[in-house]
Structure formats: structure tokens, C-alpha cells
Amino acid sequence: MMKKKVSIVLIMAIPVLLVAISGTRTNPKIVHTVSWDSSETSELFYKACADCHSHETKWPWYSYVAPVSWKIINNVNEGRGEFNISIASLGEAYEAAEEVLEGEMPPREYLILHSEAKLNTEEKNAFATGLTNTFGGEGGHDDDDDH
Ligand code: HEC
């Protein structure tokens, strides 16, 4: 009897524990805003890229549950480290168009739970042009923050 009660309490503690150890999700202050070439480009960016390349991440419920949360938090931090529209030093923004055209970004695993981020060829081409117009293309410079 006693044993059973103890195991039920332990089982109920598991979700609490998984949330407790899920890690730290941050959305730091936005200190830079992009002048988009068009609202379409910005819309697509917020649909397909902003979760990992801005400080406007929409953290889904499963990002609050370990161990999935660790992977997501890592991805976001790594993505922000490479390219981040919310800080003056945008990073590798000039590669954004190429990543889209090559189908490298958004990452495949992201698309499993974000079908809205799936772009068809036409959308990819338009988006890539918009990204180049906004951030400059290949051969551009790292800190492209003044337009
Ligand atoms: C699920 C998170 C996630 C999403 C969504 C995402 N990225 Fe990334 N991005 C990353 C990570 C992680 C890296 C660094 C590691 C790598 O290159 O795979 C990265 C790297 C980059 C880089 C730097 C070049 C490079 O390959 O290292 C660019 C440019 C980029 N992403 C553009 C985009 C664009 C444009 C979109 C939207 C179409 C997008 N990303 C969507 C996570 C993401």
C-alpha cells in the first residue's frame, strides 16, 4: 500500500521535473530593427526564420519540456549566434538568400512542426530576392546594419 503511494507520487513528479530542468529560454531586448525591402519579405522571415534568428522567438509548449527543450534552446542560441536581426551586428545575413535557395534554411527538423514555414519554389525565389535586397548578397559584409 505504502509502496504504491510512493510510486504514484514519483510518477507524478516526472513532468514537473522535466519542466524544471528544461533550461532557460530568452528573448533579449531588441536593439536593432531591419528595414525590409517589402512587407512580403518580412512576413516570410517571421514565418520561417525569426524563431531562431531574432529576439522575437515564439517558444512552443514543447520547448518547456526536457530533453526536447535543450535541443530547441541550443538551436535558437546557435542560430542567433550566426545571424540575428535583433542586434546591430547582423552576422551572416548576406548568406540568408543562398541558404533559402539551397533549402538549407529553415532546417528540416523545424518544418516537421512548423508547416507554415514550408516554402514552395516560387516563394523561395521571391523570398531570396527580398533577402538579397534587404541584406545584400554573397560577397556582402558582416555588419550590414545601416539600411
Ligand atoms: C530551428 C531554428 C532555425 C530556423 C527556423 C532557421 N535557422 Fe538559420 N540557422 C540555425 C542554426 C542552428 C544555424 C547555425 C548552424 C548551421 O549552419 O546549421 C543557422 C545558420 C544560419 C545562417 C548562417 C550561415 C550558416 O549556414 O551557418 C543563415 C544565413 C541562416 N541560418 C538563415 C536562415 C534563414 C534565412 C531562415 C529562414 C528561411 C532560417 N535561417 C531559419 C537555425 C535556424
Side-chain angles (χ1 to χ4, degrees):
M1 191 58 192
M2 185 59 187
K3 223 177 185 177
K4 202 170 183 189
K5 265 195 190 147
V6 169
S7 44
I8 288 171
V9 168
L10 283 179
I11 287 168
M12 291 191 338
I14 289 172
V16 176
L17 182 72
L18 293 183
V19 171
I21 62 169
S22 66
T24 311
R25 291 149 298 274
T26 63
N27 270 351
K29 208 170 157 219
I30 295 163
V31 296
H32 173 265
T33 48
V34 170
S35 307
W36 299 100
D37 73 317
S38 73
S39 55
E40 286 79 14
T41 308
S42 138
E43 247 165 58
L44 282 174
F45 192 89
Y46 278 93
K47 249 191 216 174
C49 319
D51 276 345
C52 303
H53 294 292
S54 80
H55 293 171
E56 298 178 69
T57 306
K58 292 198 189 86
W59 295 98
W61 67 265
Y62 46 84
S63 71
Y64 287 79
V65 186
V68 177
S69 59
W70 301 332
K71 168 90 172 144
I72 296 174
I73 292 169
N74 261 346
N75 260 342
V76 171
N77 290 341
E78 207 191 323
R80 285 174 178 168
E82 299 278 324
F83 167 36
N84 185 347
I85 63 161
S86 303
I87 57 174
S89 175
L90 296 177
E92 299 183 20
Y94 58 88
E95 287 204 62
E98 199 188 322
E99 297 290 328
V100 169
L101 288 178
E102 287 174 354
E104 298 283 334
M105 290 284 153
R108 235 155 307 177
E109 74 234 35
Y110 181 77
L111 295 174
I112 298 169
L113 288 162
H114 292 86
S115 52
E116 77 282 358
K118 253 180 219 153
L119 308 178
N120 63 36
T121 308
E122 202 180 312
E123 286 171 318
K124 273 186 198 167
N125 287 336
F127 189 30
T129 305
L131 287 169
T132 303
N133 290 343
T134 303
F135 297 118
E138 191 51 41
H141 51 102
D142 264 6
D143 299 336
D144 200 5
D145 64 345
D146 50 11
H147 66 180

